Amino acid sequence: MHKNPRIGSYEYYERLYEVEEKHWWYIGIHEVAARILNSHYRGMKNLSILDARCGTGFTLTWLERYTLPKQAVGIDLSWHAFQFCRRREQRLLSQASVMELSFKNGLFDLVVCKAVIQHLPRKG
């Protein structure tokens, strides 16, 4: 029986890193995102982007098509994620929570927060 790794663990990010580039869900979500982003930002290359809960850096790397080289910033709560981001040559990383962003208002042109809502704490 296959046991799911604990969210935020090294094993969790390792598993994501192994499947993200070929799994149908990740491919599909990027196709949908591209349609949305291209309708607003086609041809733009100078956006400042925050990937809130960047995980392994797969989406962060994908978003760079809309930025000058290395202008996308990634945050994640788990420092394990950054080990995989660095494999994708991502360096603009910060350990932070999507629930308590400390960036100045207006700093980013675009904030992306993909596949996060199901991991947020529930009230009640």
Side-chain angles (χ1 to χ4, degrees):
M1 185 168 140
H2 183 68
K3 182 179 176 188
N4 289 329
R6 186 177 53 80
I7 294 171
S9 68
Y10 179 87
E11 293 77 16
Y12 174 79
Y13 289 105
E14 182 178 47
R15 186 170 170 193
L16 288 178
Y17 186 85
E18 291 172 359
V19 302
E20 284 175 316
E21 294 181 28
K22 54 188 175 263
H23 192 276
W24 66 267
W25 188 87
Y26 295 100
I27 292 168
I29 203 73
H30 283 149
E31 286 178 9
V32 170
R35 287 182 186 165
I36 294 168
L37 293 176
N38 287 338
S39 72
H40 296 285
Y41 303 112
R42 182 179 300 280
M44 296 180 81
K45 299 281 187 204
N46 61 346
L47 297 174
S48 178
I49 299 175
L50 173 65
D51 185 359
R53 190 98 189 235
C54 63
T56 68
F58 180 57
T59 297
L60 185 60
T61 300
W62 179 83
L63 286 166
E64 287 184 334
R65 68 185 67 201
Y66 300 99
T67 68
L68 294 171
K70 304 298 180 194
Q71 290 293 320
V73 175
I75 65 164
D76 204 286
L77 197 54
S78 175
W79 64 272
H80 294 297
F82 301 143
Q83 295 174 56
F84 297 96
C85 287
R86 288 185 188 99
R87 288 185 191 178
R88 290 194 164 104
E89 299 183 12
Q90 295 300 326
R91 301 289 182 256
L92 295 177
L93 305 166
S94 181
Q95 188 173 21
S97 169
V98 297
M99 300 296 288
E100 299 174 17
L101 296 177
S102 60
F103 298 104
K104 181 178 141 188
N105 286 343
L107 181 63
F108 297 103
D109 300 307
L110 175 65
V111 176
V112 175
C113 190
K114 174 185 70 78
V116 172
I117 197 166
Q118 70 272 22
H119 301 295
L120 296 177
R122 298 178 190 195
K123 289 188 176 184

